[in-house]
Amino acid sequence: MPKNRAVLIDQIIKQTMRICAFSSLFFLFLIFLFILIEGLPLFYRVGVGNIIAGFKWAPTKGAFGIFPMIVSSFLVTIGALILGAPLGLACAVYLAEYAGKKKKLFLKPALELLAGIPSVVYGFLGVIYIVPLIRTYCGGSGFSLLAAAIVLGVMILPTVISISYDALMSVPRTYREGSLAMGATKWQTTYRVVIPAASSGILASFILGMGRAIGETMAVIMVAGNALRIPGSILDPLRTLTSNIALELAYASGDHRLGLFSTGVVLLIIIMILNYLANFVIRQKVIK
Amino acid sequence: MDIKIQIRQLSVSYNGTPALRSITLDIYKNCITGFMGPAGSGKSTLITLINRMIDFEEGVRYDGEIRIDGINVLDPAVDVVALRRRIGMVFAVPLPLPRSIFDNIAYGPRLKGITNMTDLYAIVEDSLKKAFLFDEVKDRLMTSAMKLSGGQQQRLCLARTLALQPDIILLDEPCSGLDPISTAKIEEALSELKKDYTIILVSNNTKQIARTSDYAAFFYMGELIEFGETPRIFTNPSQKKTEDYIQGKFG
Amino acid sequence: MRLPPRFVNTLVALLLDLVALGTVGILVVIVCVIVVKGIAYIDLNFLFTYPEDMGRHGGVFPSLIGTIFLVALSICFATPLGLGTAIYLTEYTKETMMTKTIRFGVESLAGIPSILYGLFGFIFFVIKLKMGWSLISGALTLTIMILPTIIRTSEEAIKAVPRSLRIVSHSLGATLWETTLKVVLPCAAPGILTGIMLSIGRAVGETAAVIFTMGSSLRLPTSLFDSGRTLAVHFYILAREGISMEKAYATALVLVVSILAVNILAYYIMHKVIAKYS
């Protein structure tokens, strides 16, 4: 029997869809390729150590040290996690274990809407409200590690909440029933049975929250003060890797621009490690 | 009597577990052939091979031949889409598509490239009449098929199959979820339809096979135990297993 | 001293209740502040007049149009690509090494921060492909950025379509594509639409990836190769350079309200679908 026209069309469509599917990989490849092409030469020329461990960023004078920015990026991220992770986890626990059906119907979308607020708006509100508060009550200029950590802490909430929530919800109901049947209270059950069972997913949510915080740019630029040194206290200003790129890319040229791409390479590597870690942590659970 | 389907030395396995063992069987034209047997006997597997719906299952291996009008449909080169347009299938659960009654029935004809509304309407009306459903739905052809009762939905599925203008109709336990009145309507439709079609009816219900079929085949654990004219199978089975099954001793 | 478990239980329930409400309170406060402060400075003129003096006076008309063009273009590019990927992954292949690799690619794209999209779009579209700071550079960059969202939501929506409907369609002699087009996609349409809405919200609010690819010209973009300034970028510049707090609040109001509207609509559609299936 000869193949009819519909079958032929089906074959053509299949190939088209296949091309679509490979586009994501292709784009990922392009992004890596071009950031690496622009960013790697400077590592060769100036030396990996002088960039990653260098303290001085004066790109027009041949100094490309981004060590303070790496440290700052991690500091704001850890700060954001200290504030956002417990709060996010608490919300996730509340949603998964405590909230009634009606409350959940309203709370869950409301918490997800936090993710929809643009980062510039977070930054703006940070400048208008949080920075002056810190200036008044804690001293300093207010543009600080603390301000950035607070703003980022809120910004990572949706990530932490939704992934932790999924992890908590995937704990089988029998676990809970078993514990409750033995006379444990709801909180004992949640604390001793449900949270440990969901721990890998919760950990993954923290790691992905870190990824979100370390990659955030506009909000951080607006509240962090962007000073080029390692902050001595939480009230000192700092500049993260992302801020460095965004602040200078518009006018940079020559080696200066290459230096920004080198910053991008470091950021890309950190992000990839975090994503891999989150994936690894989640997969651990599946094997178990 | 003409032979429509010749099944020869057909064996099937799922992930290495045999489901059918060396089946050889002839299906006659313009007759209802009933396949009966307990769950797991392979009767449903056999009909999904005839229209190659088995291709959607994972880990299936088959060899042997199924010849329809002389052409082996198990040949990998066969155009399965064209094959399925010649063979209608009604499933155990009524499965209307989530669209109107009219669109459900016109689905197959439209795939064949019929777009003229007058032609489509003629096909829809004719198919609904043959499935004894037209009078019940003629005023609401554009309403959702999901709103029909279970029995009506199953007759809709039958009508949808007829709209393909197939020469073979496969029914996989079509009445398993239906009430006796709906079942009777479907059986009535089938006995009319056999004038124009070759019908295979799979059923767990031996009484239904006895009532409706001209030939009956009894399957057990992937083997064809007995095949013959229905009255003979039910009154004078040659195998002990068949007799036990018909008398309800197992299954 | 050990507190009685029952007391702790009640206390924790109360605390969690407060924490959750407090967190939602953050959202409410953000929205309220923007709305209350912004509403005083906004009127129809603001939306439909050109800015004067770097945005100190006048409106945001070019930015509004620029945002709409940019978002529309990137959605037009990303939807067919994303939908095609989702269809390929769910309907056309089985789980293999290859689909796992593609999924890994999609996940990785989703994890890349927007500033790196900006960096890539800048070097690739703006510089190497010589498109300059333009609508098209911005749209192509955003396309890649929103692609993972569209792929993931479409995949979820397509997977939720019952297998039996596909089987029926095949049994009626439909090819895989006919089944996908006539049965699977109509059923999955609301879910796919949700993904598109969420992507629109993300694209409207994006700054870092847009400012380095589309630039920040205050003129009305009239061709694909014109630069332009989206509302989010305009807002960022107004606020950061302290040009005008009034205009900044008004712009933020437009941004936040439109994004919230799109997101709420998306959740509403999703909610409808879940209600229908269960």
Side-chain angles (χ1 to χ4, degrees), chain B residues 4-248:
Chain B
K4 182 74 179 171
I5 308 173
Q6 296 167 298
I7 300 167
R8 293 289 175 268
Q9 303 288 326
L10 180 68
S11 296
V12 183
S13 66
Y14 285 100
N15 299 315
T17 316
L20 284 172
R21 298 165 207 261
S22 193
I23 306 291
T24 293
L25 182 63
D26 288 331
I27 308 285
Y28 296 99
K29 206 171 181 172
N30 298 340
C31 286
I32 298 178
T33 304
F35 286 0
M36 58 186 178
S41 60
K43 57 193 192 305
S44 292
T45 302
L46 180 54
I47 64 165
T48 56
L49 275 153
I50 295 173
N51 64 350
R52 289 278 293 276
M53 287 302 283
I54 196 140
D55 294 3
F56 293 98
E57 305 288 336
E58 308 261 335
V60 181
R61 289 180 58 93
Y62 47 77
D63 64 333
E65 285 182 354
I66 296 180
R67 294 190 171 276
I68 299 178
D69 297 331
I71 295 162
N72 182 14
V73 299
L74 297 186
D75 184 337
V78 156
D79 178 352
V80 290
V81 170
L83 176 71
R84 288 176 197 140
R85 285 177 189 179
R86 288 177 53 209
I87 303 176
M89 188 167 202
V90 176
F91 298 88
V93 197
L95 290 170
L97 297 168
R99 46 178 76 193
S100 74
I101 296 172
F102 185 91
D103 287 341
N104 257 280
I105 296 172
Y107 189 82
R110 278 179 174 144
L111 291 176
K112 285 182 172 174
I114 302 171
T115 51
N116 182 316
M117 277 309 274
T118 328
D119 296 346
L120 280 176
Y121 185 81
I123 294 171
V124 169
E125 183 178 344
D126 182 53
S127 310
L128 282 170
K129 277 181 176 156
K130 282 183 182 162
F132 290 126
L133 187 62
F134 186 69
D135 291 335
E136 291 166 55
V137 300
K138 64 183 172 199
D139 304 323
R140 45 175 173 146
L141 289 178
M142 293 305 161
T143 59
S144 169
M146 311 301 275
K147 290 195 181 116
L148 297 174
S149 73
Q152 286 173 328
Q153 284 185 1
Q154 196 61 306
R155 276 177 284 149
L156 176 84
C157 293
L158 181 59
R160 189 173 60 190
T161 294
L162 297 175
L164 287 172
Q165 288 156 335
D167 26 310
I168 300 167
I169 302 174
L170 310 170
L171 302 107
D172 189 1
E173 308 197 32
C175 302
S176 55
L178 300 187
D179 59 275
I181 296 170
S182 302
T183 305
K185 281 186 179 156
I186 288 193
E187 287 175 5
E188 194 184 349
L190 291 182
S191 54
E192 287 290 317
L193 289 169
K194 72 178 179 189
K195 282 185 249 144
D196 304 314
Y197 305 91
T198 304
I199 298 173
I200 299 177
L201 172 65
V202 170
S203 182
N204 245 332
N205 182 343
T206 47
K207 294 196 188 87
Q208 183 174 46
I209 299 285
R211 279 195 301 269
T212 52
S213 68
D214 303 298
Y215 289 87
F218 172 59
F219 292 87
Y220 182 68
M221 304 280 282
E223 281 180 61
L224 176 61
I225 305 293
E226 195 166 356
F227 175 72
E229 290 182 29
T230 303
R232 206 266 303 155
I233 293 273
F234 277 85
T235 52
N236 187 19
S238 60
Q239 302 289 322
K240 179 83 172 62
K241 268 253 154 11
T242 314
E243 191 177 344
D244 289 351
Y245 181 72
I246 290 164
Q247 289 173 356

Side-chain angles (χ1 to χ4, degrees), chain A residues 75-99:
Chain A
L75 284 177
V76 281
T77 302
I78 289 163
L81 216 53
I82 290 173
L83 295 169
L87 197 58
L89 179 58
C91 286
V93 168
Y94 180 75
L95 278 177
E97 307 294 318
Y98 285 84

Side-chain angles (χ1 to χ4, degrees), chain A residues 95-130:
Chain A
L95 278 177
E97 307 294 318
Y98 285 84
K101 224 179 182 171
K102 269 195 180 153
K103 260 193 185 161
K104 206 158 149 178
L105 206 64
F106 149 78
L107 278 177
K108 195 157 185 296
L111 290 172
E112 278 169 33
L113 281 181
L114 275 175
I117 308 261
S119 55
V120 275
V121 172
Y122 280 110
F124 177 66
L125 293 173
V127 173
I128 300 282
Y129 295 98
I130 293 170

Side-chain angles (χ1 to χ4, degrees), chain A residues 267-286:
Chain A
L267 182 62
L268 191 61
I269 291 169
I270 295 173
I271 291 287
M272 280 298 145
I273 291 173
L274 286 178
N275 284 347
Y276 177 78
L277 265 183
N279 252 321
F280 177 76
V281 167
I282 290 176
R283 229 177 311 141
Q284 281 285 294
K285 163 90 180 181
V286 179

Side-chain angles (χ1 to χ4, degrees), chain C residues 131 133-136 214 217 220-228:
Chain C
M131 291 175 178
W133 278 328
S134 63
L135 199 51
I136 187 74
M214 188 166 155
S217 156
L220 182 73
T222 49
S223 91
L224 284 179
F225 294 96
D226 277 359
S227 171

